[in-house]
Amino acid sequence: MENSKRTVTCGELTKADVGKKVVLNGWVSRTRDLGGLVFIRLRDRYGITQVMVGDNASDEVKKIAASLKSEYCIAVEGVVAARAEKDVNKDMATGEIEVEACDIEIFTTSQELPFSIEEVRQKDGTLVVANEDLRLKYRYLDLRREPMQHNIILRSAVTFATREFLTSKGFLEIETPTFIKSTPEGARDYLVPSRVHPGKFYSLPQSPQLYKQLLMVSGFDKYFQIARCYRDEDARGDRQPEFTQIDMEMSFTNREEVLDTTEELMRHIFKKTLNYELPVHFDRISWDDAFDLYGSDKPDLRFDMKMQDAAFMADLSDFNAFKAGGANADKNIERHKRSGLKALVVKNAADKYSRKHIEALEAVAKINHAKGLAWMKVDAEGKFEGGISKFFAGKEAEICSRLGAEKNDLLLFVSDEKWQTACVALGAVRKQLGKDLNLYNPKDEFHFAWIIDFPYFAWNEEENHWETEHHMFTLPQKKYWDTLESDPGSVKGDLYDLVLNGYELASGSMRINDPALQERIFEIVGYSRERAEKAFGFLVQAFKFGAPPHGGIAPGLDRLIMLMCHEESIHEVIAFPKNNLAASPMDECPSAVDEQQLKDLHINCYDVEKD
């Protein structure tokens, strides 16, 4: 072939191109040899084009076509031809045409594949996918799969849309350091030893938090960054050691402006990349109500099942397990004045849940620290049956009226002396019910909500002191400033989380900009002036030079793309992720290093295997 460089991609040819001579480059997806007629599905990231090698091809081209195997990388020169009406593939963008090959060049061959790149579906329609470690070991092959290409392309589009929107609103994209001072931020830091400064370490940033606040002091009133962050914590589906967030900060602002700007950003992203219309404003739920109604500060609101206070039932019988729900001895939640006896009414589910299914729900409750899951059903006559029904016989009318229960409903209860424990346990059951019964509203594909009015402090029972629920630079709501020291448990923070479909998507707050107020927070949580100076002295010092009021938020890019792609793991939307052991099977990272490198860094590494 004289010129093997592509003139078109595999996804752009249409019937309007019939008769054109073109050159395609790509990978052989699969071939079909029909005895003198060879069909080749040629793939690149733009799509698939069918290539035909027929009677008009030279013997050499026929020979090459017959030798092709899956994932050979080739060039094809040929003429675009219309498919016969009966052969049109309506599921392919290029399904009306094929390319009649007159020349083929093999760039490179391929070994036998460790797994199929083509989608393989079982008879029941489920997709057959290789196990994750095998996919990660050969990630460069996994990334050739159409679902992965779709996810990574969408990620690129979302990143571009983010930059497009924020730049149009006057935000400046500013990079902050990735070698920083280690400061206490909740998770363990990843440390980098210094060769030049023996015995000292850089830390990789858990977030750009302190630096973006310094940028506000510097006068850059609107900042953003597609920021790489690092946390040494156990991996799970929506978390891994290195991740990316859309980091934003604004000066001379308030909570309303931050929330409005974030809502505008999300609307722009979803409209630009998915052509999906989000509402102008998102739901707002207080932290107390989120736990009380849904058992979580990141509730999935695609279905409407709410938990109810069932404290009245403790006085209707001698069922001892419900007596504990009326007690409220937890210092963290005395302020809520809500009971720890919670109920769920599962509509029309009595005949769908056998004892075995209910035991599976009870296991979910117990994993979340409940002592058990009480239940009973409302039968066709409106009477209680099964579970704890004998304790409430004759009380059906009152209980059903107050809980809104009807015939064939399933009633579930968790009782605990701690309000939040009861809420979390039954909330986990609610979440499982949503999956089991497919309760999601099909018209509510992406349900955003703001969680606001978080408690500022939490009581650490083990260490017997107050600590901040968020970070120590969060601004307490102004109405609580006078009672910070006298009543820490009642203080609400000026902070907010954005949740989407049951995941925390973003966290943010207004920030403290008054050094005196910052010192009061340090004192309440037991940070001495010396300790605070050692950890955060450079930030506190900056606040003494005219720090503006400021606040911000940081949506997680990986989680956002995961949810937009309807995936269950951020591994599916990151090009080269780590596995659940924080390792990369492909390049065997983390790995041992040469002894000389350790000496250069003044590190004496003991033999882990011997120990």
Side-chain angles (χ1 to χ4, degrees):
M1 188 180 298
E2 290 184 7
N3 186 359
S4 58
K5 187 181 186 306
R6 69 185 176 189
T7 58
V8 293
T9 68
C10 293
E12 65 180 283
L13 292 174
T14 67
K15 208 167 184 178
D17 297 302
V18 169
K20 289 183 180 179
K21 194 169 187 177
V22 297
V23 177
L24 297 166
N25 294 170
W27 287 266
V28 175
S29 179
R30 65 171 180 256
T31 63
R32 287 181 297 147
D33 191 336
L34 302 182
L37 193 62
V38 177
F39 290 98
I40 305 162
R41 283 170 61 94
L42 193 65
R43 183 193 72 244
D44 62 13
R45 79 169 175 90
Y46 303 95
I48 294 175
T49 296
Q50 178 167 284
V51 176
M52 182 189 73
V53 180
D55 294 337
N56 295 331
S58 68
D59 290 342
E60 179 64 22
V61 171
K62 291 178 181 178
K63 182 179 178 181
I64 294 173
S67 73
L68 295 178
K69 295 182 180 179
S70 180
E71 299 311 303
Y72 276 29
C73 188
I74 67 173
V76 174
E77 184 179 38
V79 176
V80 182
R83 293 198 199 189
E85 189 66 32
K86 64 181 179 62
D87 295 327
V88 169
N89 186 339
K90 295 181 180 180
D91 295 328
M92 286 175 57
T94 61
E96 291 185 305
I97 61 92
E98 59 192 9
V99 173
E100 295 181 352
C102 57
D103 203 357
I104 299 175
E105 179 181 341
I106 298 176
F107 290 138
T108 52
T109 61
S110 172
Q111 295 180 2
E112 185 177 346
L113 298 174
F115 54 83
S116 174
I117 290 172
E118 285 285 290
E119 287 194 355
V120 178
R121 291 191 180 273
Q122 296 177 329
K123 291 182 179 180
D124 63 359
T126 57
L127 189 63
V128 178
V129 180
N131 73 71
E132 185 175 72
D133 266 5
L134 186 62
R135 291 173 57 207
L136 292 181
K137 183 175 181 179
Y138 297 96
R139 187 62 162 185
Y140 41 84
L141 295 179
D142 191 42
L143 288 171
R144 292 184 192 174
R145 294 173 52 242
E146 191 280 329
M148 290 302 305
Q149 298 229 326
H150 168 272
N151 294 354
I152 299 302
I153 290 168
L154 180 62
R155 184 187 181 106
S156 177
V158 169
T159 302
F160 178 79
T162 298
R163 287 191 164 101
E164 180 182 54
F165 173 81
L166 292 175
T167 300
S168 75
K169 295 295 181 180
F171 284 78
L172 300 176
E173 184 171 8
I174 305 175
E175 293 181 346
T176 54
T178 51
F179 277 15
I180 66 172
K181 177 180 180 178
S182 180
T183 57
E185 292 192 42
R188 287 182 294 273
D189 287 334
Y190 279 102
L191 300 177
V192 180
S194 170
R195 177 185 58 82
V196 179
H197 304 282
K200 294 186 177 180
F201 295 82
Y202 302 103
S203 171
L204 299 182
Q206 295 186 31
S207 76
Q209 181 64 48
L210 304 184
Y211 290 93
K212 67 181 180 182
Q213 290 190 251
L214 289 171
L215 286 171
M216 298 302 103
V217 178
S218 303
F220 296 104
D221 64 321
K222 290 185 176 182
Y223 142 93
F224 85 97
Q225 181 182 189
I226 309 298
R228 298 289 286 167
C229 305
Y230 309 86
R231 294 179 186 173
D232 186 5
E233 55 190 359
D234 294 337
R236 64 186 188 201
D238 63 342
R239 178 187 292 168
Q240 71 148 30
E242 49 190 328
F243 58 96
T244 307
Q245 61 188 36
I246 304 168
D247 208 53
M248 302 160 53
E249 197 80 5
M250 303 164 67
S251 291
F252 308 112
T253 189
N254 56 29
R255 184 178 77 179
E256 293 305 310
E257 185 179 20
V258 175
L259 269 54
D260 287 347
T261 301
T262 306
E263 289 172 348
E264 283 188 71
L265 170 62
M266 292 299 154
R267 287 203 305 277
H268 177 81
I269 288 172
F270 275 75
K271 180 63 177 176
K272 188 74 180 283
T273 62
L274 298 181
N275 195 28
Y276 186 94
E277 296 280 357
L278 292 176
V280 175
H281 293 296
F282 303 156
D283 295 340
R284 295 191 185 186
I285 308 171
S286 72
W287 182 90
D288 288 344
D289 284 345
F291 271 104
D292 205 47
L293 298 176
Y294 306 105
S296 173
D297 57 1
K298 44 183 180 293
D300 191 336
L301 301 176
R302 289 174 296 170
F303 63 103
D304 191 43
M305 185 189 298
K306 294 183 177 68
M307 303 189 315
Q308 301 183 57
D309 189 330
F312 71 95
M313 292 181 65
D315 298 324
L316 293 182
S317 82
D318 58 356
F319 184 54
N320 289 331
F322 279 6
K323 303 300 181 182
N328 205 336
D330 182 4
K331 189 170 185 177
N332 266 326
I333 54 91
E334 285 176 353
R335 58 185 179 272
H336 302 292
K337 308 301 182 187
R338 309 188 191 203
S339 83
L341 177 51
K342 306 296 296 180
L344 268 179
V345 177
V346 191
K347 307 302 292 183
N348 296 310
D351 57 353
K352 297 175 183 176
Y353 274 84
S354 64
R355 181 181 292 274
K356 180 179 178 181
H357 291 133
I358 293 172
E359 287 175 354
L361 293 177
E362 183 176 28
V364 171
K366 288 182 175 180
I367 289 172
N368 288 274
H369 309 296
K371 296 180 180 67
L373 180 69
W375 64 277
M376 54 188 178
K377 298 177 180 181
V378 186
D379 68 15
E381 282 71 46
K383 301 296 183 181
F384 290 149
E385 65 176 13
I388 59 172
S389 58
K390 67 179 182 180
F391 294 98
F392 297 96
K395 307 293 176 61
E396 287 89 349
E398 179 179 356
I399 293 172
C400 288
S401 174
R402 297 186 68 165
L403 294 181
E406 300 171 308
K407 296 174 183 178
N408 199 39
D409 287 350
L410 171 65
L411 310 185
L412 302 172
F413 306 90
V414 170
S415 178
D416 197 277
E417 62 271 12
K418 294 186 177 181
W419 167 80
Q420 195 168 348
T421 298
C423 290
V424 169
L426 196 58
V429 172
R430 173 189 179 272
K431 186 175 181 178
Q432 187 63 46
L433 288 165
K435 292 180 181 179
D436 290 349
L437 300 173
N438 193 24
L439 299 175
Y440 310 113
N441 182 350
K443 296 181 180 179
D444 198 11
E445 187 176 0
F446 301 103
H447 198 123
F448 284 87
W450 290 107
I451 309 301
I452 58 175
D453 297 335
F454 281 74
Y456 193 93
F457 297 103
W459 181 252
N460 187 321
E461 293 182 351
E462 293 182 1
E463 299 180 15
N464 201 38
H465 70 85
W466 291 102
E467 55 191 16
T468 54
E469 286 270 16
H470 201 45
H471 58 66
M472 288 182 282
F473 307 105
T474 296
L475 185 70
Q477 293 182 15
K478 195 167 185 177
K479 61 184 177 182
Y480 298 101
W481 288 9
D482 291 339
T483 58
L484 284 176
E485 290 84 1
S486 61
D487 189 13
S490 296
V491 177
K492 300 290 187 182
D494 203 355
L495 63 110
Y496 31 84
D497 279 0
L498 181 61
V499 300
L500 171 60
N501 294 0
Y503 287 85
E504 178 193 315
L505 186 62
S507 186
S509 71
M510 301 305 295
R511 324 297 190 191
I512 295 172
N513 66 319
D514 177 6
L517 180 58
Q518 187 65 72
E519 285 190 14
R520 291 173 64 190
I521 299 299
F522 286 151
E523 288 177 5
I524 292 171
V525 298
Y527 253 64
S528 66
R529 183 167 297 183
E530 294 76 17
R531 186 183 178 191
E533 179 66 29
K534 183 178 180 180
F536 306 111
F538 63 99
L539 181 64
V540 176
Q541 178 69 17
F543 286 169
K544 297 176 181 178
F545 293 93
H550 59 285
I553 194 168
L557 181 64
D558 308 302
R559 288 185 188 176
L560 175 61
I561 307 301
M562 179 188 79
L563 293 167
M564 293 176 76
C565 293
H566 302 290
E567 299 284 3
E568 295 184 355
S569 169
I570 60 173
H571 295 174
E572 302 301 318
V573 299
I574 298 172
F576 298 101
K578 305 294 185 289
N579 64 16
N580 287 334
L581 297 176
S584 170
M586 182 183 68
D587 57 5
E588 299 181 339
C589 165
S591 61
V593 299
D594 293 340
E595 188 68 29
Q596 186 58 49
Q597 288 179 276
L598 296 175
K599 288 180 179 179
D600 291 343
L601 293 169
H602 315 283
I603 294 176
N604 184 13
C605 193
Y606 65 87
D607 192 328
V608 177
E609 292 184 359
K610 288 183 179 179
D611 284 21

